[in-house]
Amino acid sequence: MDPSSVPDFDNLPKVEGQPQGCAWGVFDKDGKKDIFGTLNFLTPQIVAAAAAEVKDGVSISLNWPLNGIKFPLPGRKPPVHRPHRLRDLGMDCEGWDDELEFNTQFSSQWDSLCHVTVDEATYNGLKPTPEGLSVQSTAENPLPTIEHWHSRGAVVGRGVLIDWKRYHEETTGTPYHPLDGYRITPEDIEKVAKHQGVEFRHGDILIIRTGYTEMLEAPSPEDFAKFQAGTLSGVHGTEDTARWVWNHRFAAVAGDAHAFEAIPALKPDGTPGGVSDLVLHPWFLNRFGMPIGELWDLKALGEYAKKTGRYSFLLTSAPLNHPGLVASPPNAIALF
C-alpha cells in the first residue's frame, strides 16, 4: 500500500473500543483481515529505491549471539546447544548434527504482532490462544505471527540508523550510559538525523543505537550496580511518540535496547510504572501492526556509518519460518 494514501494518526478511521490512532482495518483487503501491518508500506517501489543504497559492497550482520546475555534473565531460558555424532543418531557415516533450544526473545529478535495483547486481542482484533499458536501449518494460521512474512518475501527496505549513543557522547559533553534511563524523544531523533545528514522517507525501518548490547557483552561492577535502579535508555513512551512514528510511515522500528522504549514506563500521571504500563508496545504492535526489533547488535553498523558518513542502507531480514512464531531472531543484514 502506498504509504502516502494512509491517513495521519489523528485522521485514521475510528475503531470501536480503541483510542484514536488505531489502524485496525486500514490494510484489510477484499474483506480479509490484514496480518502484516506496517510491513505493507514496503511496496516494490520503496524496496527498489532502498536497493540503490548499496554502493560499497559491504554487508554488516546486526545479529547478536543467541547467548549474548551471560547472566540469568527471569522468565526466559538461555540457549542450549546439543551436538550429536551422526553414528549416535543411527547413521552409518561420520559427521555431526546439532540441536538448538532457545527462547526467541533471549537475544536479537523481532516481536511479531501477537507479542502484546490488550483485552486478549492483538493487532486487528485477532485473538491468539495456545491452541491457535500451536498450529502445524501456516496455511491454517490466521494470526499475525512472524512466519507469514515469508509469503511477502520477508523484510527488505531502507534502514536508517539513529546513533543516539555516538551523538550524545560527541555533542553534549556529558557522560552517557545506556542504564541511565534517558528518554529519547522524537525531537531528539530529529536532531540526530539532522546531525547525521539523513532524511526519513516513507517505508523506512527506524533503528536506534543506545549501546546497551555492547555494555552487556562485558558488564562491569558499575554496570551491575546501575542495573539495580531498573532504568534503561530508550525511546520515550508516549502517545505523542506513537503519533510521530505513525505519521512518518515507518515500516518497522528496531534497536539494541531490551524494549526499544525507555524503562521504566511512565503512568499517565508521570510516575514510574511496570511492564503493563509500556506505551509503545501496545501502540506499535497492537494498534499499528508495526514490528519492533530488540537487542540488535549495532556496534559495527555504527562504526561503519561514522566512517562513511552514511546512515541509511539496504536492510534485509529473514526471520525463522515456523508456524505460529510469536518472535524470531531477525537474521538481519545491513548492506552499504
Coordinates of all heavy atoms in Angstrom, one line a residue, residues 161-197:
L161 N 19.8 4.4 10.6 CA 20.4 4.3 11.9 C 20.4 5.7 12.6 O 20.9 6.7 12.0 CB 21.8 3.8 11.9 CG 22.6 3.8 13.2 CD1 21.9 2.8 14.2 CD2 24.0 3.5 13.0
I162 N 19.8 5.8 13.8 CA 19.9 6.9 14.6 C 20.9 6.5 15.7 O 20.5 5.8 16.6 CB 18.5 7.4 15.2 CG1 17.6 7.8 14.0 CG2 18.7 8.5 16.2 CD1 18.1 9.1 13.3
D163 N 22.1 7.0 15.6 CA 23.2 6.6 16.6 C 23.1 7.6 17.8 O 23.9 8.5 17.9 CB 24.5 6.6 15.9 CG 25.6 5.9 16.7 OD1 25.4 5.7 17.9 OD2 26.6 5.4 16.1
W164 N 22.2 7.3 18.7 CA 22.0 8.2 19.8 C 23.2 8.1 20.7 O 23.6 9.2 21.3 CB 20.8 7.7 20.6 CG 20.7 8.4 21.9 CD1 20.9 8.0 23.2 CD2 20.3 9.8 22.1 NE1 20.7 8.9 24.1 CE2 20.4 10.1 23.5 CE3 20.0 10.9 21.2 CZ2 20.2 11.4 24.0 CZ3 19.8 12.1 21.8 CH2 19.8 12.4 23.1
K165 N 23.8 7.0 20.9 CA 25.0 6.9 21.8 C 26.1 7.8 21.3 O 26.7 8.6 22.1 CB 25.5 5.4 21.8 CG 26.8 5.2 22.6 CD 27.2 3.7 22.6 CE 28.6 3.6 23.0 NZ 28.9 4.1 24.4
R166 N 26.5 7.7 20.0 CA 27.6 8.5 19.5 C 27.2 10.0 19.5 O 28.0 10.8 19.9 CB 27.9 8.0 18.1 CG 29.2 8.7 17.5 CD 29.5 8.2 16.1 NE 29.6 6.7 16.0 CZ 30.7 6.0 16.4 NH1 31.8 6.6 16.8 NH2 30.7 4.7 16.3
Y167 N 26.0 10.3 19.1 CA 25.6 11.7 19.1 C 25.7 12.3 20.5 O 26.2 13.4 20.7 CB 24.1 11.8 18.6 CG 23.5 13.2 18.7 CD1 23.8 14.1 17.7 CD2 22.7 13.5 19.8 CE1 23.2 15.4 17.8 CE2 22.2 14.8 19.9 CZ 22.4 15.7 18.9 OH 21.9 17.0 19.0
H168 N 25.2 11.6 21.5 CA 25.2 12.1 22.9 C 26.6 12.3 23.3 O 27.0 13.4 23.9 CB 24.5 11.2 23.8 CG 24.2 11.7 25.2 ND1 25.1 11.9 26.1 CD2 23.0 12.2 25.7 CE1 24.6 12.4 27.2 NE2 23.3 12.6 27.0
E169 N 27.5 11.4 23.1 CA 28.9 11.4 23.5 C 29.6 12.6 22.8 O 30.5 13.2 23.4 CB 29.6 10.1 23.3 CG 29.0 9.0 24.2 CD 29.6 7.6 23.9 OE1 30.1 7.4 22.8 OE2 29.5 6.7 24.8
E170 N 29.4 12.8 21.5 CA 30.1 13.7 20.8 C 29.6 15.2 20.8 O 30.4 16.1 20.6 CB 30.2 13.3 19.3 CG 31.0 12.0 19.1 CD 31.1 11.6 17.6 OE1 30.4 12.2 16.8 OE2 31.8 10.6 17.3
T171 N 28.4 15.3 21.1 CA 27.8 16.7 21.0 C 27.4 17.3 22.4 O 27.3 18.6 22.5 CB 26.6 16.7 20.1 OG1 25.5 15.9 20.8 CG2 26.9 16.1 18.8
T172 N 27.2 16.5 23.4 CA 26.7 17.1 24.6 C 27.8 17.3 25.7 O 27.6 18.2 26.5 CB 25.6 16.2 25.3 OG1 26.2 15.0 25.7 CG2 24.5 15.9 24.3
G173 N 28.9 16.6 25.5 CA 30.0 16.7 26.5 C 29.6 16.2 27.9 O 30.3 16.5 28.9
T174 N 28.5 15.4 28.0 CA 28.1 14.9 29.3 C 28.2 13.4 29.2 O 28.1 12.8 28.2 CB 26.7 15.3 29.6 OG1 25.8 14.8 28.6 CG2 26.6 16.8 29.7
P175 N 28.5 12.7 30.4 CA 28.6 11.3 30.4 C 27.3 10.6 30.0 O 26.2 11.1 30.2 CB 28.9 11.0 31.9 CG 29.4 12.2 32.5 CD 28.7 13.3 31.7
Y176 N 27.5 9.4 29.4 CA 26.3 8.7 28.9 C 26.4 7.2 29.3 O 27.5 6.7 29.2 CB 26.1 8.8 27.4 CG 25.1 7.9 26.8 CD1 23.7 8.2 26.9 CD2 25.5 6.6 26.2 CE1 22.8 7.3 26.5 CE2 24.5 5.8 25.8 CZ 23.2 6.1 25.9 OH 22.2 5.2 25.4
H177 N 25.3 6.6 29.7 CA 25.3 5.2 30.0 C 23.9 4.7 29.6 O 22.9 5.3 30.0 CB 25.6 5.0 31.5 CG 25.9 3.5 31.8 ND1 25.0 2.5 31.8 CD2 27.1 3.0 32.1 CE1 25.6 1.4 32.1 NE2 26.9 1.6 32.3
P178 N 23.8 3.6 28.9 CA 22.5 3.1 28.5 C 21.6 2.7 29.6 O 20.4 2.5 29.4 CB 22.9 1.8 27.6 CG 24.3 1.4 28.0 CD 24.9 2.7 28.4
L179 N 22.1 2.5 30.9 CA 21.3 2.2 32.0 C 20.9 3.4 32.8 O 20.3 3.3 33.9 CB 22.0 1.2 32.9 CG 22.3 -0.2 32.3 CD1 23.0 -1.0 33.3 CD2 21.0 -0.9 31.9
D180 N 21.2 4.6 32.3 CA 20.7 5.8 33.0 C 19.3 6.2 32.7 O 18.8 7.1 33.4 CB 21.7 7.0 32.6 CG 23.0 6.9 33.3 OD1 23.1 6.2 34.3 OD2 23.9 7.6 32.8
G181 N 18.6 5.5 31.8 CA 17.2 5.7 31.6 C 16.8 7.0 30.9 O 15.7 7.5 31.0
Y182 N 17.7 7.4 30.0 CA 17.4 8.6 29.2 C 16.2 8.3 28.2 O 16.2 7.2 27.6 CB 18.6 9.1 28.3 CG 18.4 10.4 27.7 CD1 18.7 11.6 28.3 CD2 17.7 10.5 26.4 CE1 18.5 12.8 27.7 CE2 17.5 11.7 25.8 CZ 17.9 12.9 26.5 OH 17.6 14.1 25.9
R183 N 15.3 9.2 28.2 CA 14.1 9.1 27.3 C 14.3 9.8 26.0 O 14.3 11.1 26.0 CB 12.9 9.5 28.1 CG 12.6 8.7 29.3 CD 11.4 9.1 30.1 NE 11.4 8.3 31.4 CZ 10.9 7.1 31.5 NH1 10.4 6.5 30.4 NH2 10.9 6.5 32.6
I184 N 14.5 9.1 24.9 CA 14.8 9.7 23.6 C 13.5 10.1 23.0 O 12.7 9.3 22.6 CB 15.6 8.7 22.7 CG1 16.8 8.2 23.5 CG2 15.9 9.3 21.4 CD1 17.5 7.0 22.8
T185 N 13.3 11.4 22.8 CA 12.1 12.0 22.3 C 12.2 12.0 20.8 O 13.2 12.0 20.2 CB 11.9 13.4 22.9 OG1 12.9 14.2 22.4 CG2 11.9 13.4 24.4
P186 N 11.0 12.2 20.1 CA 11.0 12.5 18.7 C 11.9 13.7 18.3 O 12.6 13.7 17.3 CB 9.6 12.7 18.3 CG 8.8 11.9 19.4 CD 9.6 12.1 20.6
E187 N 11.9 14.7 19.1 CA 12.8 15.9 18.9 C 14.2 15.5 18.9 O 15.0 15.9 18.1 CB 12.5 17.0 19.9 CG 11.1 17.6 19.8 CD 10.0 16.7 20.4 OE1 10.3 15.8 21.1 OE2 8.8 17.0 20.0
D188 N 14.6 14.6 19.8 CA 16.0 14.1 19.9 C 16.3 13.3 18.6 O 17.4 13.5 18.0 CB 16.2 13.1 21.1 CG 16.2 13.9 22.4 OD1 16.6 15.0 22.5 OD2 15.7 13.2 23.4
I189 N 15.4 12.5 18.2 CA 15.6 11.7 17.0 C 15.8 12.6 15.8 O 16.7 12.4 14.9 CB 14.5 10.7 16.7 CG1 14.4 9.7 17.9 CG2 14.6 10.0 15.4 CD1 13.2 8.8 17.8
E190 N 15.0 13.6 15.7 CA 15.2 14.6 14.6 C 16.5 15.3 14.6 O 17.1 15.6 13.6 CB 14.0 15.5 14.5 CG 12.7 14.8 14.2 CD 11.5 15.8 14.2 OE1 11.6 16.9 14.8 OE2 10.4 15.4 13.7
K191 N 16.9 15.7 15.8 CA 18.2 16.3 16.0 C 19.4 15.4 15.5 O 20.3 15.9 14.8 CB 18.5 16.7 17.4 CG 17.6 17.9 17.9 CD 17.9 18.2 19.4 CE 17.1 19.3 19.9 NZ 17.3 19.5 21.4
V192 N 19.3 14.2 15.9 CA 20.4 13.2 15.5 C 20.3 13.0 14.0 O 21.4 13.0 13.3 CB 20.2 11.9 16.2 CG1 21.3 10.9 15.7 CG2 20.3 12.1 17.7
A193 N 19.2 12.9 13.4 CA 19.0 12.7 12.0 C 19.6 13.9 11.2 O 20.4 13.7 10.2 CB 17.6 12.5 11.6
K194 N 19.4 15.1 11.7 CA 19.9 16.3 11.1 C 21.4 16.3 11.2 O 22.2 16.7 10.3 CB 19.3 17.6 11.7 CG 19.8 18.9 11.0 CD 19.1 20.1 11.7 CE 19.5 21.4 11.0 NZ 18.8 22.6 11.6
H195 N 21.9 16.0 12.4 CA 23.4 15.9 12.6 C 24.1 14.9 11.7 O 25.2 15.2 11.2 CB 23.6 15.6 14.1 CG 25.0 15.5 14.5 ND1 25.8 16.6 14.7 CD2 25.8 14.4 14.7 CE1 27.1 16.2 15.0 NE2 27.1 14.9 15.0
Q196 N 23.4 13.8 11.5 CA 24.0 12.8 10.6 C 23.8 13.1 9.1 O 24.4 12.4 8.3 CB 23.3 11.4 11.0 CG 23.6 10.9 12.4 CD 22.9 9.7 12.8 OE1 23.2 9.1 13.8 NE2 22.0 9.2 11.9
G197 N 22.9 14.0 8.8 CA 22.7 14.3 7.4 C 21.8 13.3 6.7 O 21.9 13.1 5.5

